Amino acid sequence: MENIETQTNIKKIKLDFKDSKYATGRRKKSIAKVWVKKGSGKIHVNGLKMNEYFKRPVHQIIVTRPLEISDVASNYDVRCSVKGGGLSGQAGAIILGISKALIAHDENLKKNLKKDKLTTRDSRVVERKKYGHRKARRSFQFSKR
């Protein structure tokens, strides 16, 4: 019983983000609100450190990509609040938010971020299910007899 309590009591950190730039990122069903300010390179997602929120290394690499491409990974602190969708969609939303906020901070970073296509929204979303089909495009099995 004690193990369960210690696992759920992860500390949420309160951060001061005055003099920061704000941007919104979206991907699939996820929406990320991102604040970026000058700092030491800390990234917090929903009040947790990025390593605690995104357990998979792939997601951690994806989230830090805009900072590493523009060579400012240790110069900015990032605070995000994300909701909706799964972890991959949330990571994609955070990327777009960080990229937009970095450009708002420093216009010179836009060239590198745009070259790697981090400033455009990925518009692919799940297609809706149609009637008479099992899924969006998959039909039911057909049999003559």
Side-chain angles (χ1 to χ4, degrees):
M1 187 74 179
E2 291 179 23
N3 292 338
I4 295 171
E5 291 176 8
T6 56
Q7 289 174 353
T8 58
N9 290 338
I10 298 174
K11 294 179 185 174
K12 286 207 171 190
I13 302 160
K14 197 77 171 164
L15 301 168
D16 179 37
F17 264 75
K18 293 182 176 121
D19 304 325
S20 62
K21 297 292 180 182
Y22 169 79
T24 305
R26 291 184 177 89
R27 169 88 167 94
K28 295 187 178 182
K29 293 282 184 186
S30 304
I31 300 172
K33 300 174 189 174
V34 180
W35 291 266
V36 174
K37 74 167 189 171
K38 293 273 187 190
S40 57
K42 297 175 186 160
I43 300 175
H44 294 279
V45 181
N46 288 351
L48 303 174
K49 291 181 181 171
M50 181 193 57
N51 302 345
E52 295 171 1
Y53 191 81
F54 291 113
K55 303 285 187 195
R56 294 180 66 198
V58 174
H59 293 141
Q60 295 172 11
I61 292 167
I62 287 172
V63 168
T64 57
R65 197 161 155 236
L67 296 167
E68 290 170 1
I69 285 170
S70 51
D71 294 327
V72 292
S74 60
N75 298 347
Y76 289 98
D77 286 342
V78 179
R79 187 187 85 185
C80 315
S81 69
V82 188
K83 62 181 178 181
L87 290 177
S88 295
Q90 289 182 352
I94 290 172
I95 283 179
L96 182 61
I98 290 174
S99 300
K100 285 177 165 181
L102 284 174
I103 290 169
H105 245 293
D106 186 8
E107 196 68 32
N108 300 328
L109 301 175
K110 185 171 186 172
K111 191 175 112 180
N112 290 339
L113 293 171
K114 190 167 184 149
K115 189 171 24 172
D116 287 337
K117 298 177 182 160
L118 297 179
T119 57
T120 55
R121 186 199 192 288
D122 190 351
S123 60
R124 296 175 296 169
V125 292
V126 177
E127 192 175 337
R128 77 171 189 88
K129 184 194 173 301
K130 280 77 172 190
Y131 63 89
H133 289 261
R134 203 171 79 187
K135 293 167 73 177
R137 298 187 180 201
R138 171 86 162 91
S139 297
F140 296 109
Q141 183 172 343
F142 178 76
S143 175
K144 188 89 173 189
R145 296 167 243 207

